[in-house]
Amino acid sequence: MRLNPADDTFAHRIRAALGDDVLRPVSERYVEEPRRRFHGKAGLLALPRSVQEVSTLVRLASEATVPVVPYGGGTGLVGGQIMPDGPAPLLVSLERMSAIRAVYPAENLMIAEAGAILADVQLATQRQNRIFPLSLAAQGSCRIGGNLATNAGGVNVLRYGNARDLCLGLEAVLPNGEIWNGLSRLRKDNTGYDLRNLLIGAEGTLGIITAASLKLFPRPAATGTAMVQVASPEAAIDLLALARDQMGDSVSAFELIHRQGLQFLSEVLSDIRQPFAAHPEWSVLIEVGLSAGQSPMDALESLYEAADARNLVVDAVIAQSEAQRMDLWSVREHIPEANRLIGSVSSHDISVPISEIPEFIRRGAGVIEKIGRFRINCFGHLGDGNLHYNVFPTQGRDRSEFDGVRAEIKGAVHDLVHAFGGSVSAEHGVGRLKVGDLERYGDPVKLDAMRAIKAALDPKGIMNPGAVLKT
């Protein structure tokens, strides 16, 4: 169906229905994404204040066949919030819908609007002696609606799961403007199709999430953090298994770090304190959260001793204070910033079966070497098999020199991921960047089912056209 631009005539309809305060000028930040791979456009920018106003906006867009692009914090890395082609869309930002509507500490539950910033949600739960465990590098600016729309992951997936695992219910506006009131506080509700999980991860292609019921968790009585130098990726996997054998689900984070990432920090962020005098080839950042009466220090020391007896570890630094803990996390959290400052030729958010990671890393280096001389920074969430496999120019050269081989590198890495039974989109989503990859590597039956769902819920194709599925 032919889409129409969000033009002055359409703006007049919005003002007639909602007044002058909803529409705002489109500034540059709304049409660019962090990596500057996409530059979009927007005919109009709307900042609704309520789900009713979102409903009105979407209903008007449906009647006029105007494309709608939902906008969260703008931190997405695959272009899902950017529409570079086609008629200029209506951009709907949820930033004015940022309220924490209710907190139920006894139920370990919070109801938050989609525009709430993740860090503010975390702070609100801390005041109730609870935690909302979703933790991302962009948590100071990303918003809950976007987190759910992309099924965000982060460093605590090992213990708590992805964003979809942290959500009990949704309020959302469907493509015809109808409001789905699905803000359930129930842990058990077996009444048919799960619309919640259909909308989570759909990246705004099936509707706009406006609020969510979020799971909270008791705050661990004590937290321990260590940076451990390991002999190899195989040793890291064995250490993970040993840690879970000894501490079970108390292991909340297990991050694999390669020497290249630490060298990048020394190169461009030298003020970040690193725990080892020399950069180890491989290390892991481990965090555990234990119940009252348990000592994280004793648990981590016991883990190190058992791992040392099996020749899995070389050295370790165990945080002795909250300041030291924050220093260790600062190393991991600043690696993406160092990557950005260095400038990657091609970045990949991938996952492979955990036991296959060492062989994937070995074969990946060979695949890249056949294309040319590059630096590889492979790091990420080892506990859930999610690697950030990023390829950089050699020192002294700029990534722009390699624009001609970016597609070749991406294709080679993704082909290898597929051969290992992995995913070319682990936690960042598909957006517009990976639509072709989904077509190439996705199961045909699944893709047909996705297209049928899209056609049923959004027959006019107005919701975030060009994202996730090929138009």
Side-chain angles (χ1 to χ4, degrees):
M1 185 173 291
R2 180 178 175 274
L3 298 176
N4 300 309
D7 55 16
D8 290 342
T9 300
F10 187 60
H12 178 74
R13 294 180 189 174
I14 292 176
R15 291 191 178 98
L18 297 174
D20 294 332
D21 189 45
V22 170
L23 294 179
R24 301 293 175 85
V26 182
S27 61
E28 193 69 14
R29 74 182 181 92
Y30 291 102
V31 291
E32 284 192 344
E33 45 86 33
R35 289 177 178 167
R36 300 184 183 275
R37 299 290 193 197
F38 294 88
H39 187 88
K41 55 186 175 180
L44 298 170
L45 170 65
L47 275 62
R49 294 156 292 194
S50 67
V51 63
Q52 289 78 18
E53 290 191 347
V54 176
S55 172
T56 299
L57 288 166
V58 175
R59 176 178 55 79
L60 291 172
S62 178
E63 292 171 355
T65 323
V66 167
V68 177
V69 176
Y71 188 91
T75 60
L77 299 176
V78 291
Q81 74 277 35
I82 301 293
M83 185 173 164
D85 303 311
L90 169 66
L91 198 65
V92 179
S93 171
L94 279 295
E95 61 197 81
R96 295 171 79 183
M97 294 179 59
S98 59
I100 306 297
R101 293 185 185 174
V103 182
Y104 303 92
E107 299 180 27
N108 284 318
L109 179 71
M110 164 189 285
I111 296 179
E113 291 186 335
I117 291 173
L118 176 55
D120 293 339
V121 170
Q122 294 168 340
L123 181 60
T125 61
Q126 290 168 15
R127 291 171 179 156
Q128 300 292 335
N129 198 33
R130 298 290 187 271
I131 63 168
F132 180 65
L134 187 64
S135 182
L136 312 170
Q139 62 195 31
S141 53
C142 65
R143 299 178 187 272
I144 286 297
N147 297 150
L148 291 167
T150 58
N151 188 29
V155 298
N156 290 326
V157 171
L158 175 62
R159 181 171 185 175
Y160 298 104
N162 289 312
R164 76 167 67 251
D165 301 302
L166 303 174
C167 179
L168 286 175
L170 295 175
E171 173 189 87
V173 175
L174 300 182
N176 62 0
E178 290 184 341
I179 299 171
W180 172 46
N181 295 298
L183 282 177
S184 175
R185 288 162 55 188
L186 303 177
R187 305 275 171 160
K188 289 184 176 180
D189 182 6
N190 196 9
T191 54
Y193 300 151
D194 192 345
L195 297 184
R196 170 199 57 172
N197 273 328
L198 190 59
L199 289 171
I200 293 173
E203 302 186 48
T205 61
L206 300 178
I208 300 179
I209 295 170
T210 54
S213 300
L214 304 174
K215 294 181 185 178
L216 309 182
F217 294 83
R219 184 197 296 266
T223 300
T225 307
M227 188 82 80
V228 182
Q229 183 177 344
V230 293
S232 64
E234 290 93 340
I237 291 171
D238 290 342
L239 179 61
L240 171 62
L242 182 61
R244 301 194 79 175
D245 284 345
Q246 292 192 354
M247 290 176 274
D249 287 339
S250 296
V251 183
S252 55
F254 201 95
E255 298 290 296
L256 182 69
I257 299 172
H258 183 240
R259 177 171 58 194
Q260 187 64 75
L262 303 178
Q263 291 174 339
F264 282 171
L265 287 175
S266 295
E267 190 175 330
V268 296
L269 294 172
S270 57
D271 57 325
I272 301 299
R273 256 187 301 196
Q274 299 194 32
F276 301 111
H279 298 140
E281 180 71 15
W282 293 102
S283 56
V284 292
L285 177 64
I286 307 172
E287 183 149 290
V288 299
L290 301 179
S291 302
Q294 296 178 299
S295 167
M297 184 70 67
D298 290 346
L300 289 170
E301 287 177 351
S302 175
L303 174 64
Y304 184 83
E305 290 169 3
D308 188 41
R310 302 184 189 189
N311 297 316
L312 302 178
V313 295
V314 179
D315 196 2
V317 173
I318 301 176
Q320 305 292 312
S321 65
E322 180 63 16
Q324 290 182 8
R325 173 180 172 272
M326 295 304 294
D327 281 346
L328 293 181
W329 271 109
S330 183
V331 172
R332 169 60 181 89
E333 290 170 348
H334 280 89
I335 289 175
E337 174 65 10
N339 284 349
R340 187 186 66 81
L341 293 171
I342 295 290
S344 71
V345 176
S346 187
S347 299
H348 315 94
D349 163 46
I350 61 173
S351 61
V352 294
I354 294 173
S355 62
E356 304 283 359
I357 285 176
E359 182 62 20
F360 172 83
I361 291 173
R362 277 191 290 271
R363 288 180 57 184
V367 164
I368 298 302
E369 189 175 359
K370 289 179 181 178
I371 298 173
R373 290 188 60 208
F374 297 95
R375 295 180 289 179
I376 299 171
N377 186 15
C378 175
F379 69 103
H381 319 304
L382 185 68
D384 53 55
N386 178 195
L387 298 177
H388 300 296
Y389 193 89
N390 301 336
V391 180
F392 297 82
T394 55
Q395 193 165 11
R397 303 190 68 177
D398 189 84
R399 70 178 184 180
S400 61
E401 300 176 48
F402 302 93
D403 287 345
V405 295
R406 177 179 294 118
E408 183 181 0
I409 292 172
K410 175 185 171 183
V413 172
H414 285 180
D415 283 349
L416 186 61
V417 170
H418 186 64
F420 273 86
S423 170
V424 299
S425 178
E427 66 176 356
H428 292 164
V430 175
R432 290 172 174 81
L433 179 65
K434 297 182 179 180
V435 169
D437 294 311
L438 184 60
E439 292 282 328
R440 179 173 181 177
Y441 303 111
D443 179 82
V445 174
K446 177 182 176 179
L447 286 171
D448 284 345
M450 289 172 62
R451 294 185 191 105
I453 292 168
K454 172 71 170 174
L457 292 181
D458 184 20
K460 294 185 176 181
I462 66 168
M463 296 305 305
N464 212 5
V468 183
L469 289 172
K470 193 173 182 179
T471 53

